[in-house]
Amino acid sequence: MSGLDLGIVGNGTIAALINSRGDYQWSCLPRFDGEPVFNQLLGGGGTFSVWMEDLASRTQSYDHNTAILRTRLESRDGAIVEIVDFAPRFENQGRMFRPAALVRRFRVLAGTPRMRITLTPETDWGGRKLKPVRGVNHVRYVDEEISFRVTTDAPVSYILSGTSFILDREAAFILGADESLSDHPEVIARDWEERTRLYWKRWARSLAVPFEWQQAVIRAAITLKLCVYEETGGIVAALTTSVPEHAGSERNWDYRYCWIRDAYFTVTALNRLSGMGTLEHYMRWVRNIVAQSKGGHIQPVYGIGLEADLTEDFADQLPGYRGMGPVRRGNQAAEHVQHDVYGQVVLGVAQSFFDTRLMKRPGLTEFEQLEPVGERAFAVHDTPDAGIWEFRTIAHVHTSSAIMCWAACDRLAKIAAHLGLPARADYWRERAEIVHGTILEKAWNEEIGAFTAAFGGEDLDASVLLMAEIGFMAADDPRYVSTVQVINRDLREGDHVYRYKVTDDFGKPKTAFTACTFWLVDALYRIGETEEARRVFEALLAARNHLGLLSEDVDTDTGELWGNFPQTYCMVGIINSAALLSRPWSQAM
């Protein structure tokens, strides 16, 4: 198995990544972008690990339509242990109960397994181990910024000393707030497990899934839900930092923040499945961003708590994924100028003006708050920026950024018309037409037969495939059809697509960007190449790990996953492509 054969548990407050041996590889406290207490993914010593004597096989799966992870270990003599991991999430007394807590249950299914369960959390980004303070049935970890307690009915002495022992009964561990539990840990763990299972099954049942690829779509939707920090509505691009895009690339970024672009795609995908709660939470987050900007510059990325300062530095104590540093915390992209963000702000909330299912729909006040965003989009649509791929030393007038600026003006026109504001609708329609004309004139390269990455350029960029999806151009327009065909020919290797193939700040990319392959699948479908679209989509599904999850990149030669994990862009792609390609339910029987 590769290093990204991991499962995820979470509840909208915290999350953890667990490998198929049952070891915690990554988890941050007190939230997604916090201190990595369990950090083995990046070479640290912090883990909640499991060892079984004479381990012969291991399997891992999710309980059907839930975020409850089940790891099964079997020894050579036939002993079998099952580990159930989850983060509690369910309604309690009219509120969603989603504490910063993780639960582990060990069950003996056969034989007398000899086990070692070790708890070694770290702090200071791998700089030092957290000192345990033991109690009768718990261990406390208290530091300047982190405090939590692990309560268990397993022998605490064995856990702290790393002593192996015969596991002859069920054992439960509850990692949570530094306070006493109200009942026996096994009783609480069982109760929380059943209530959490019921929550996820009900949530999955509410999704409007396509007929085909239902399980792939539901797993993608649950994974996206686990990347939403529900307190604020912010959506992280991934749960990890510094998993490189390819071996030794130094393309190691911290993705535990909320890119407006990625969040827009996530919200759109869940909306497509009727998962409206995420949109309502995200609306609150975006409204705060818009209010902070006061009609001026909007960063492409913020912290999940609206933090604007994401200063990037290095955690030198951690060697990195497979020893491939550096380990970065923070992200310089917060300092970039990326004009596509204005379109994504408007696109991300546009549906809310029209959707009558929402408990609280926006109106005139919210529209007026968005208009300065549109003004900014119009003002910068033909000026250089860092682009969707966040070049650090390269600035062009990027076609994809200009298209998103058009989208801001176009959607504001539609919202104004819906609200009965004809003068404002005309105003924004006029601006959208100006931007549209500029893009057609300056981004189309007749000699190449494609819309290029930048105005007046010759290089290709897979992001222009999105122009049909957002309504900039009809899919049967000969220029769009030609663009799809050229990108399919020049940016595709096997069944995977590169963002671009030009040299950037770190050389030439060596892995394909999985989200771009999904964009190509959708584009092929739209131009009528349905069978090829389905074939490539099936190849993408085959590239997922053993639990149906995807990271950011894939090695086109080996099929190995690289990049931060799980990548929301990619899970979005599963949902969107399945919705397009699936046969309708009316043809199911």
Side-chain angles (χ1 to χ4, degrees):
M1 292 188 175
S2 75
L4 295 180
D5 283 320
L6 304 169
I8 305 155
V9 296
N11 61 2
T13 298
I14 60 172
L17 276 59
I18 304 168
N19 68 14
S20 61
R21 290 181 180 270
D23 300 334
Y24 274 43
Q25 295 287 285
W26 185 257
S27 187
C28 298
L29 292 174
R31 60 186 205 180
F32 301 152
D33 57 354
E35 174 75 29
V37 174
F38 303 120
N39 55 23
Q40 276 199 337
L41 182 69
L42 299 184
T47 187
F48 194 167
S49 64
V50 179
W51 172 87
M52 183 182 200
E53 186 175 59
D54 293 328
L55 177 66
S57 65
R58 60 190 193 269
T59 58
Q60 199 172 43
S61 62
Y62 280 109
D63 285 3
H64 183 67
N65 291 355
T66 76
I68 299 174
L69 186 64
R70 201 170 290 268
T71 305
R72 183 184 174 106
L73 306 178
E74 184 169 355
S75 67
R76 290 185 180 89
D77 65 1
I80 302 173
V81 172
E82 183 178 71
I83 310 167
V84 178
D85 285 289
F86 67 97
R89 179 180 174 88
F90 50 84
E91 284 197 20
N92 186 46
Q93 298 181 346
R95 299 177 61 185
M96 187 60 65
F97 179 69
R98 44 175 179 77
L102 297 163
V103 179
R104 312 203 79 177
R105 293 185 61 224
F106 289 76
R107 298 176 59 223
V108 179
L109 302 185
T112 54
R114 187 175 176 84
M115 308 289 297
R116 182 167 58 242
I117 303 170
T118 309
L119 186 61
T120 59
E122 293 188 340
T123 188
D124 193 24
W125 285 77
R128 56 191 171 88
K129 294 190 181 301
L130 283 167
K131 183 179 179 180
V133 179
R134 69 158 296 166
V136 176
N137 296 110
H138 69 262
V139 185
R140 298 175 64 234
Y141 296 93
V142 180
D143 201 64
E144 293 178 1
E145 297 183 4
I146 297 175
S147 66
F148 62 92
R149 177 182 300 208
V150 178
T151 305
T152 182
D153 50 7
V156 174
S157 296
Y158 293 161
I159 305 305
L160 290 180
S161 64
T163 300
S164 58
F165 63 99
I166 293 175
L167 186 66
D168 55 3
R169 56 186 173 83
E170 293 190 7
F173 293 79
I174 298 178
L175 184 158
D178 184 22
E179 56 190 36
S180 299
L181 296 181
S182 60
D183 206 335
H184 192 278
E186 177 64 23
V187 173
I188 292 176
R190 283 175 177 269
D191 177 58
W192 285 2
E193 180 183 337
E194 289 308 310
R195 296 170 79 176
T196 299
R197 178 178 289 105
L198 183 60
Y199 165 81
W200 284 113
K201 284 184 171 293
R202 286 176 172 172
W203 188 79
R205 187 178 64 183
S206 72
L207 299 177
V209 299
F211 168 63
E212 295 182 88
W213 306 293
Q214 291 179 46
Q215 285 306 299
V217 168
I218 291 171
R219 181 53 49 203
I222 290 174
T223 304
L224 291 179
K225 186 77 169 172
L226 296 181
C227 292
V228 178
Y229 186 65
E230 200 159 301
E231 178 185 319
T232 63
I235 305 169
V236 296
L239 293 169
T240 61
T241 177
S242 301
V243 181
E245 293 181 15
H246 59 82
S249 67
E250 296 193 13
R251 298 173 186 262
N252 302 11
W253 318 117
D254 193 346
Y255 276 11
R256 302 169 304 145
Y257 306 113
C258 186
W259 271 260
I260 293 175
R261 172 175 56 251
D262 298 50
Y264 151 66
F265 283 113
T266 298
V267 168
T268 301
L270 291 178
N271 289 351
R272 182 167 284 178
L273 301 178
S274 298
M276 304 308 298
T278 301
L279 173 59
E280 292 176 312
H281 290 305
Y282 180 66
M283 278 173 54
R284 297 198 310 270
W285 191 85
V286 166
R287 286 186 66 188
N288 279 290
I289 292 296
V290 171
Q292 285 183 8
S293 72
K294 301 184 186 302
H297 169 68
I298 294 179
Q299 295 177 191
V301 55
Y302 292 84
I304 53 179
L306 298 175
E307 296 85 0
D309 183 2
L310 303 181
T311 301
E312 184 177 296
D313 65 2
F314 300 104
D316 295 327
Q317 302 94 324
L318 291 173
Y321 181 77
R322 300 187 187 177
M324 300 175 190
V327 171
R328 287 185 171 92
R329 51 192 174 193
N331 200 299
Q332 191 194 87
E335 304 168 17
H336 291 180
V337 174
Q338 295 178 33
H339 299 329
D340 58 328
V341 69
Y342 303 107
Q344 285 141 3
V345 165
V346 179
L347 284 170
V349 299
Q351 179 176 334
S352 62
F353 286 87
F354 300 87
D355 199 321
T356 60
R357 293 172 294 176
L358 297 181
M359 297 183 68
K360 184 179 180 182
R361 294 168 59 199
L364 178 60
T365 299
E366 288 78 10
F367 170 73
E368 290 175 343
Q369 291 172 340
L370 283 178
E371 285 198 289
V373 178
E375 295 288 5
R376 183 75 175 173
F378 182 74
V380 302
H381 76 272
D382 58 354
T383 62
D385 73 343
I388 186 174
W389 307 123
E390 300 175 346
F391 297 118
R392 297 198 165 198
T393 62
I394 302 170
H396 296 298
V397 181
H398 289 97
T399 302
S400 60
S401 295
I403 290 170
M404 285 297 174
C405 289
W406 166 84
C409 299
D410 175 76
R411 297 309 194 270
L412 285 170
K414 290 179 168 64
I415 294 169
H418 177 71
L419 295 176
L421 305 170
R424 301 311 297 163
D426 290 343
Y427 177 87
W428 288 112
R429 193 175 299 114
E430 178 185 346
R431 273 151 180 71
E433 290 171 356
I434 292 172
V435 179
H436 194 274
T438 301
I439 295 170
L440 294 183
E441 176 188 352
K442 297 186 176 182
W444 172 255
N445 187 311
E446 186 68 36
E447 183 176 343
I448 295 174
F451 287 97
T452 54
F455 284 11
E458 297 179 349
D459 299 321
L460 296 174
D461 184 335
S463 64
V464 302
L465 294 171
L466 294 170
M467 60 172 56
E469 178 179 329
I470 68 170
F472 177 84
M473 174 173 283
D476 60 0
D477 188 297
R479 291 166 294 186
Y480 182 72
V481 174
S482 178
T483 298
V484 175
Q485 292 170 340
V486 171
I487 288 176
N488 187 44
R489 181 192 69 205
D490 293 350
L491 293 186
R492 178 174 164 183
E493 289 192 11
D495 290 321
H496 302 282
V497 177
Y498 283 70
R499 293 170 288 185
Y500 49 83
K501 288 191 173 181
V502 297
T503 299
D504 60 20
D505 308 289
F506 293 84
K508 284 191 175 183
K510 295 183 180 180
T511 49
F513 195 80
T514 304
C516 293
T517 312
F518 283 113
W519 296 346
L520 179 65
V521 167
D522 297 352
L524 289 171
Y525 171 83
R526 287 188 168 93
I527 68 172
E529 297 187 21
T530 304
E531 290 307 310
E532 178 63 2
R534 290 177 66 92
R535 194 194 66 76
V536 177
F537 180 61
E538 291 284 4
L540 279 170
L541 293 183
R544 297 173 299 163
N545 77 1
H546 64 299
L547 292 168
L549 309 180
L550 283 168
S551 63
E552 181 180 43
D553 306 277
V554 63
D555 186 309
T556 57
D557 293 327
T558 66
E560 185 175 3
L561 299 179
W562 289 89
N564 280 308
F565 180 90
Q567 233 279 359
T568 53
Y569 255 161
C570 301
M571 307 314 290
V572 163
I574 293 173
I575 294 170
N576 289 346
S577 294
L580 278 179
L581 299 175
S582 175
R583 288 177 290 140
W585 281 91
S586 60
Q587 296 178 14
M589 294 172 285

